[in-house]
Tab-separated table of all heavy atoms in Angstrom:
chain	number	residue	atom	x	y	z
J	1	ASP	N	68.418	103.616	-36.671
J	1	ASP	CA	67.171	104.129	-37.252
J	1	ASP	C	67.436	105.456	-37.955
J	1	ASP	O	68.249	106.270	-37.509
J	1	ASP	CB	66.129	104.344	-36.155
J	1	ASP	CG	65.656	103.032	-35.546
J	1	ASP	OD1	65.691	102.012	-36.260
J	1	ASP	OD2	65.274	103.041	-34.361
J	2	THR	N	66.754	105.678	-39.036
J	2	THR	CA	66.899	106.938	-39.761
J	2	THR	C	65.752	107.902	-39.473
J	2	THR	O	65.778	109.042	-39.918
J	2	THR	CB	66.966	106.678	-41.273
J	2	THR	OG1	65.780	105.977	-41.688
J	2	THR	CG2	68.195	105.847	-41.616
J	3	VAL	N	64.770	107.421	-38.716
J	3	VAL	CA	63.616	108.257	-38.366
J	3	VAL	C	63.511	108.348	-36.853
J	3	VAL	O	63.562	107.335	-36.152
J	3	VAL	CB	62.310	107.678	-38.955
J	3	VAL	CG1	61.117	108.527	-38.539
J	3	VAL	CG2	62.406	107.585	-40.466
J	4	ASP	N	63.399	109.559	-36.348
J	4	ASP	CA	63.270	109.781	-34.918
J	4	ASP	C	61.941	109.193	-34.443
J	4	ASP	O	60.873	109.631	-34.888
J	4	ASP	CB	63.308	111.292	-34.633
J	4	ASP	CG	63.311	111.610	-33.148
J	4	ASP	OD1	62.964	110.720	-32.340
J	4	ASP	OD2	63.654	112.756	-32.798
J	5	PRO	N	61.973	108.187	-33.561
J	5	PRO	CA	60.720	107.570	-33.113
J	5	PRO	C	59.838	108.532	-32.320
J	5	PRO	O	58.623	108.324	-32.219
J	5	PRO	CB	61.194	106.404	-32.236
J	5	PRO	CG	62.566	106.807	-31.792
J	5	PRO	CD	63.152	107.578	-32.937
J	6	ASN	N	60.444	109.588	-31.777
J	6	ASN	CA	59.665	110.559	-31.000
J	6	ASN	C	59.121	111.695	-31.850
J	6	ASN	O	58.163	112.373	-31.451
J	6	ASN	CB	60.548	111.143	-29.881
J	6	ASN	CG	61.051	110.075	-28.939
J	6	ASN	OD1	60.291	109.258	-28.449
J	6	ASN	ND2	62.361	110.071	-28.692
J	7	ASP	N	59.757	111.922	-33.001
J	7	ASP	CA	59.326	113.016	-33.876
J	7	ASP	C	59.751	112.700	-35.309
J	7	ASP	O	60.866	113.023	-35.719
J	7	ASP	CB	59.943	114.333	-33.419
J	7	ASP	CG	59.470	115.510	-34.254
J	7	ASP	OD1	58.646	115.312	-35.162
J	7	ASP	OD2	59.940	116.646	-33.993
J	8	PRO	N	58.896	112.076	-36.091
J	8	PRO	CA	59.239	111.685	-37.466
J	8	PRO	C	59.656	112.862	-38.353
J	8	PRO	O	60.304	112.659	-39.386
J	8	PRO	CB	57.951	111.034	-37.978
J	8	PRO	CG	57.232	110.586	-36.739
J	8	PRO	CD	57.550	111.622	-35.699
J	9	ASP	N	59.294	114.080	-37.972
J	9	ASP	CA	59.636	115.251	-38.773
J	9	ASP	C	61.006	115.830	-38.422
J	9	ASP	O	61.433	116.823	-39.025
J	9	ASP	CB	58.572	116.342	-38.590
J	9	ASP	CG	57.203	115.917	-39.117
J	9	ASP	OD1	57.172	115.182	-40.128
J	9	ASP	OD2	56.184	116.308	-38.528
J	10	ASN	N	61.706	115.217	-37.478
J	10	ASN	CA	63.010	115.708	-37.038
J	10	ASN	C	64.077	115.330	-38.062
J	10	ASN	O	64.586	114.212	-38.083
J	10	ASN	CB	63.357	115.118	-35.667
J	10	ASN	CG	64.734	115.525	-35.185
J	10	ASN	OD1	65.351	116.453	-35.721
J	10	ASN	ND2	65.222	114.831	-34.168
J	11	ILE	N	64.440	116.266	-38.927
J	11	ILE	CA	65.397	115.970	-39.998
J	11	ILE	C	66.840	115.973	-39.497
J	11	ILE	O	67.756	115.590	-40.235
J	11	ILE	CB	65.252	116.972	-41.163
J	11	ILE	CG1	65.524	118.399	-40.679
J	11	ILE	CG2	63.867	116.849	-41.796
J	11	ILE	CD1	65.526	119.419	-41.804
J	12	ALA	N	67.065	116.379	-38.264
J	12	ALA	CA	68.420	116.374	-37.696
J	12	ALA	C	68.757	115.055	-37.013
J	12	ALA	O	69.906	114.838	-36.609
J	12	ALA	CB	68.579	117.515	-36.685
J	13	PHE	N	67.792	114.157	-36.940
J	13	PHE	CA	67.975	112.906	-36.203
J	13	PHE	C	69.156	112.107	-36.734
J	13	PHE	O	69.227	111.772	-37.920
J	13	PHE	CB	66.698	112.071	-36.287
J	13	PHE	CG	66.760	110.754	-35.562
J	13	PHE	CD1	66.825	110.711	-34.185
J	13	PHE	CD2	66.761	109.560	-36.261
J	13	PHE	CE1	66.876	109.503	-33.508
J	13	PHE	CE2	66.817	108.351	-35.600
J	13	PHE	CZ	66.880	108.323	-34.213
J	14	TYR	N	70.120	111.824	-35.837
J	14	TYR	CA	71.295	110.986	-36.121
J	14	TYR	C	72.164	111.487	-37.275
J	14	TYR	O	72.948	110.728	-37.831
J	14	TYR	CB	70.893	109.532	-36.379
J	14	TYR	CG	71.148	108.643	-35.187
J	14	TYR	CD1	70.130	107.897	-34.621
J	14	TYR	CD2	72.424	108.555	-34.625
J	14	TYR	CE1	70.365	107.078	-33.531
J	14	TYR	CE2	72.669	107.740	-33.532
J	14	TYR	CZ	71.630	107.003	-32.982
J	14	TYR	OH	71.864	106.196	-31.905
J	15	LYS	N	72.038	112.761	-37.611
J	15	LYS	CA	72.936	113.314	-38.610
J	15	LYS	C	74.323	113.499	-37.984
J	15	LYS	O	74.446	113.645	-36.758
J	15	LYS	CB	72.408	114.657	-39.120
J	15	LYS	CG	71.124	114.554	-39.942
J	15	LYS	CD	71.339	113.760	-41.205
J	15	LYS	CE	70.177	113.901	-42.183
J	15	LYS	NZ	68.894	113.430	-41.681
J	16	PRO	N	75.407	113.480	-38.775
J	16	PRO	CA	76.759	113.639	-38.219
J	16	PRO	C	76.901	114.952	-37.457
J	16	PRO	O	76.381	115.990	-37.877
J	16	PRO	CB	77.653	113.623	-39.466
J	16	PRO	CG	76.843	112.896	-40.492
J	16	PRO	CD	75.422	113.261	-40.228
J	17	THR	N	77.570	114.893	-36.323
J	17	THR	CA	77.795	116.085	-35.515
J	17	THR	C	79.272	116.204	-35.182
J	17	THR	O	80.032	115.238	-35.296
J	17	THR	CB	77.010	116.018	-34.189
J	17	THR	OG1	77.512	114.920	-33.409
J	17	THR	CG2	75.523	115.829	-34.427
J	18	ARG	N	79.679	117.387	-34.779
J	18	ARG	CA	81.041	117.563	-34.297
J	18	ARG	C	81.049	118.680	-33.262
J	18	ARG	O	80.146	119.521	-33.230
J	18	ARG	CB	82.009	117.878	-35.427
J	18	ARG	CG	81.771	119.215	-36.122
J	18	ARG	CD	82.822	119.457	-37.175
J	18	ARG	NE	82.666	120.764	-37.797
J	18	ARG	CZ	83.509	121.257	-38.696
J	18	ARG	NH1	84.560	120.538	-39.060
J	18	ARG	NH2	83.304	122.449	-39.219
J	19	SER	N	82.070	118.675	-32.425
J	19	SER	CA	82.169	119.653	-31.352
J	19	SER	C	83.627	119.927	-31.056
J	19	SER	O	84.480	119.054	-31.226
J	19	SER	CB	81.475	119.121	-30.095
J	19	SER	OG	81.859	119.869	-28.957
J	20	ASN	N	83.918	121.132	-30.610
J	20	ASN	CA	85.299	121.455	-30.248
J	20	ASN	C	85.600	121.145	-28.797
J	20	ASN	O	86.647	121.503	-28.284
J	20	ASN	CB	85.616	122.930	-30.545
J	20	ASN	CG	84.735	123.881	-29.741
J	20	ASN	OD1	83.793	123.468	-29.084
J	20	ASN	ND2	85.038	125.165	-29.829
J	21	SER	N	84.678	120.449	-28.122
J	21	SER	CA	84.963	120.120	-26.725
J	21	SER	C	84.648	118.688	-26.347
J	21	SER	O	85.155	118.189	-25.360
J	21	SER	CB	84.181	121.048	-25.781
J	21	SER	OG	82.790	120.844	-25.916
J	22	THR	N	83.816	117.984	-27.124
J	22	THR	CA	83.487	116.623	-26.733
J	22	THR	C	83.609	115.595	-27.838
J	22	THR	O	83.340	114.426	-27.612
J	22	THR	CB	82.056	116.534	-26.165
J	22	THR	OG1	81.136	116.958	-27.166
J	22	THR	CG2	81.900	117.385	-24.942
J	23	GLY	N	84.002	115.984	-29.023
J	23	GLY	CA	84.237	115.009	-30.081
J	23	GLY	C	83.035	114.140	-30.398
J	23	GLY	O	81.937	114.620	-30.584
J	24	GLY	N	83.263	112.809	-30.445
J	24	GLY	CA	82.274	111.870	-30.917
J	24	GLY	C	80.953	111.901	-30.194
J	24	GLY	O	79.925	111.694	-30.803
J	25	ILE	N	80.944	112.132	-28.883
J	25	ILE	CA	79.686	112.030	-28.154
J	25	ILE	C	78.808	113.257	-28.312
J	25	ILE	O	77.773	113.357	-27.682
J	25	ILE	CB	79.912	111.737	-26.663
J	25	ILE	CG1	80.708	112.852	-25.994
J	25	ILE	CG2	80.565	110.398	-26.461
J	25	ILE	CD1	80.734	112.737	-24.485
J	26	SER	N	79.205	114.207	-29.162
J	26	SER	CA	78.302	115.312	-29.460
J	26	SER	C	77.047	114.782	-30.149
J	26	SER	O	76.032	115.472	-30.216
J	26	SER	CB	78.994	116.360	-30.340
J	26	SER	OG	79.408	115.793	-31.569
J	27	GLY	N	77.114	113.525	-30.631
J	27	GLY	CA	75.948	112.899	-31.229
J	27	GLY	C	74.798	112.716	-30.261
J	27	GLY	O	73.670	112.457	-30.680
J	28	ALA	N	75.056	112.882	-28.976
J	28	ALA	CA	73.976	112.792	-27.995
J	28	ALA	C	72.979	113.932	-28.161
J	28	ALA	O	71.847	113.854	-27.683
J	28	ALA	CB	74.554	112.821	-26.577
J	29	ALA	N	73.391	114.982	-28.870
J	29	ALA	CA	72.511	116.135	-29.039
J	29	ALA	C	71.378	115.876	-30.022
J	29	ALA	O	70.372	116.591	-30.017
J	29	ALA	CB	73.322	117.344	-29.499
């Protein structure tokens, strides 16, 4: 989904993320 079902105004929803400690699963944020 490209729209946050809990907050349609959330422009950060599912955008690419990165972290220096957890790699791929930083997407949980």
Side-chain angles (χ1 to χ4, degrees):
D1 292 332
T2 58
V3 178
D4 185 343
N6 300 310
D7 183 2
D9 296 326
N10 177 14
I11 61 175
F13 180 68
Y14 258 124
K15 292 297 193 299
T17 64
R18 66 177 184 176
S19 164
N20 62 351
S21 65
T22 60
I25 61 169
S26 60

